[in-house]
Amino acid sequence: MATPPTPTASDEDRVAVLRDLLPPVPRRRPRVGLVAGGLGTYWPQFPGLLPQLQESARYVAERIGGLDAEVTDVGFVSDAEEGAAAAERLRRADCDLIVLFLTTYLTSSMVLPIARRTHTPVLVVDLQPSERMDHATFDTGAWLAYCGQCPVPEVGNVFRRAGIPFRSVSGWLRQESAWRRIGQWIRAAHVRAALRHARHGLMGHLYPGMLDVSTDLTLLPTTFGSHVEVLEFDDLRHRVEQVTEAQTRERVELARRVFTVDDSVVDEDFAWGATVSVALDRLVEDFGLDTLAYYHRGLDGELHERLGAGMILGASLLTARGVPAAGEYELRTSVAQLASQSVGAGGSFTEIQALDFEAGIVEMGHDGPAHLAVSAADPLLRGLGVYHGKRGWGVSVEFDVRHGPVTLLGLGQDADGSLSFISSEGSVVPGAHLEIGNTTSRVDFGRDPGEWVDAWSATGVGHHWSLALGHRTADFRAAASLLGIEHRAV
């Protein structure tokens, strides 16, 4: 029997190879609006001030544009009338986030219309030119270039009174720690952009008895603005019937380049999984899907049971291309996976497997689709004669998650119907793994594993979630803020 090989290439090399073999599905970039401002009364009094502030505004625009965002820069405003005109331009731009760059003092009346009329989350940024003033040489005009912090409490007060969430980053122009905080909000805008415009495929039916998985389909469009496309397995069956033998052979060859194929894989099952994979790609393209959640119980080896059992290979390949797939009809987890992918952190379908009290770790994983980019080595295809808890048989994906920091992200739903982001940070550590066709990981949360399970379960998270690379709680907290939902951390 083949076993997962020891890594022979760096994580970056492996991800690059996967990207070449499985090019990402294009997705709308986040739109970030930018407006800079200062009090126009100063310009005739201190002629050199405005050009200096405008130069700072150009630097801010360049840095934000380098954060993989589509920037709509409406320029510099100097009074309330110009602020209202900027608000109208930003409203038409349909932004995911608006950055207000306060270059010096300005009145809150200049920026309140931007927050109110655009109906878009706002980030207030004030970045003075350098770490400190030169007190011995500065006059009033030079000082005013360092006065961007002065209106921040004013704007915060007015936003609070107007019922507008307030967010800010204060620092100096080339302070990298400040830019890391700004980058966090841009990554959060990636999540908002992805969820606002996402089309979530939901195919089959609920796994019987999994009440935590059940989701009111109106919640996603009303909370995020996204769309849920209800599909039937016959939509997949129809496309499977159109797959040619040549296309199946091509997909088998692709899979052999992506996976290590275990001796347990039966050629007939491998070919069937490849055929379903080709049809899944067509399904996603035809319906314009950004995620897919699925389950079908089936009966006695009939076609729909075979379709459901043949999903794992194709669903894993889709997830690697940026279209996360989740089994067991887990719509909310597919949303969490999309959020994880949107900040560049992968996002693999996960649940608790067992606890290791000697090592102090939580063993996690799941059968079914996995995110190949989070693998610690070349992923393995294993043949299974039975899928535990499900009907059918075929090929499954197995690997250890890359060792190092990780973050769990679940999407909870409360008694009032509201959705929330729920996260927890830990580290994947080496150790023994089951060889049963599952993705697995040993996660150290820095506390007794039983206590962690109790705290995690008390948040209201379901029994599935997304496992993302890196410590990302700050990103997910910021994304929840832009989305207008609660965030809970364990």
Side-chain angles (χ1 to χ4, degrees), residues 11 374-376 400-406 427-431 433 469:
D11 293 334
V374 308
S375 174
D400 177 15
V401 172
R402 193 184 309 173
H403 299 169
V406 293
S427 292
V428 173
V429 297
H433 294 274
L469 298 179

Side-chain angles (χ1 to χ4, degrees), residues 263-297:
D263 294 340
S264 60
V265 172
V266 176
D267 288 344
E268 180 183 356
D269 295 341
F270 195 179
W272 176 246
T275 299
V276 174
S277 175
V278 174
L280 275 174
D281 285 359
R282 289 181 179 172
L283 184 80
V284 166
E285 182 178 357
D286 290 347
F287 286 95
L289 302 181
D290 296 290
T291 72
L292 177 64
Y294 67 90
Y295 176 75
H296 185 80
R297 183 170 54 189

Side-chain angles (χ1 to χ4, degrees), residues 34-45:
L34 175 62
V35 57
L39 188 63
T41 304
Y42 298 146
W43 312 152
Q45 295 176 331

Side-chain angles (χ1 to χ4, degrees), residues 401-402 404-408 424-428 443 467-471:
V401 172
R402 193 184 309 173
V406 293
T407 304
L408 312 182
S424 187
E425 294 180 345
S427 292
V428 173
V443 187
L467 186 149
L469 298 179
H471 283 165

Side-chain angles (χ1 to χ4, degrees), residues 81-269:
E81 290 77 14
E82 291 181 358
E88 181 59 22
R89 290 180 59 192
L90 290 170
R91 184 189 64 80
R92 293 196 300 266
D94 186 30
C95 297
D96 300 293
L97 174 68
I98 292 173
V99 176
L100 295 176
F101 178 29
L102 310 187
T103 64
T104 185
Y105 178 76
L106 50 66
T107 63
S108 50
S109 64
M110 294 169 58
V111 297
L112 180 60
I114 294 171
R116 286 186 56 84
R117 298 181 189 181
T118 59
H119 301 289
T120 300
V122 172
L123 172 66
V124 172
V125 171
D126 61 278
L127 302 172
Q128 66 185 37
S130 66
E131 298 99 317
R132 61 185 296 273
M133 293 188 294
D134 184 351
H135 297 78
T137 63
F138 271 32
D139 59 12
T140 303
W143 156 63
L144 286 172
Y146 284 71
C147 200
Q149 295 82 11
C150 180
V152 176
E154 177 179 340
V155 173
N157 172 278
V158 172
F159 276 21
R160 188 177 188 89
R161 291 162 67 181
I164 298 169
F166 177 75
R167 312 164 187 89
S168 67
V169 173
S170 299
W172 57 278
L173 198 59
R174 288 171 172 80
Q175 182 184 7
E176 290 307 315
S177 60
W179 278 104
R180 283 193 292 273
R181 293 162 62 199
I182 293 170
Q184 172 186 300
W185 288 107
I186 302 299
R187 288 191 296 275
H190 278 258
V191 177
R192 184 170 187 261
L195 298 194
R196 271 212 307 150
H197 298 277
R199 290 176 55 83
H200 304 287
L202 190 60
M203 184 169 68
H205 61 82
L206 184 71
Y207 189 107
M210 286 186 182
L211 302 182
D212 64 319
V213 170
S214 177
T215 301
D216 180 352
L217 300 190
T218 63
L219 275 182
L220 298 188
T222 56
T223 303
F224 305 130
S226 49
H227 171 76
V228 179
E229 185 71 18
V230 177
L231 304 169
E232 299 179 358
F233 260 77
D234 284 322
D235 292 314
L236 179 62
R237 173 192 58 78
H238 174 68
R239 288 162 177 81
V240 164
E241 292 168 351
Q242 296 175 337
V243 177
T244 67
E245 292 183 3
Q247 290 169 329
T248 295
R249 288 193 298 270
E250 290 174 2
R251 187 54 53 96
V252 167
E253 178 58 30
L254 172 64
R256 290 189 181 279
R257 296 174 67 189
V258 172
F259 296 92
T260 295
V261 181
D262 189 79
D263 294 340
S264 60
V265 172
V266 176
D267 288 344
E268 180 183 356
D269 295 341

Side-chain angles (χ1 to χ4, degrees), residues 374-386:
V374 308
S375 174
D378 293 338
L380 179 79
L381 273 187
R382 185 180 294 279
L384 296 179
V386 62

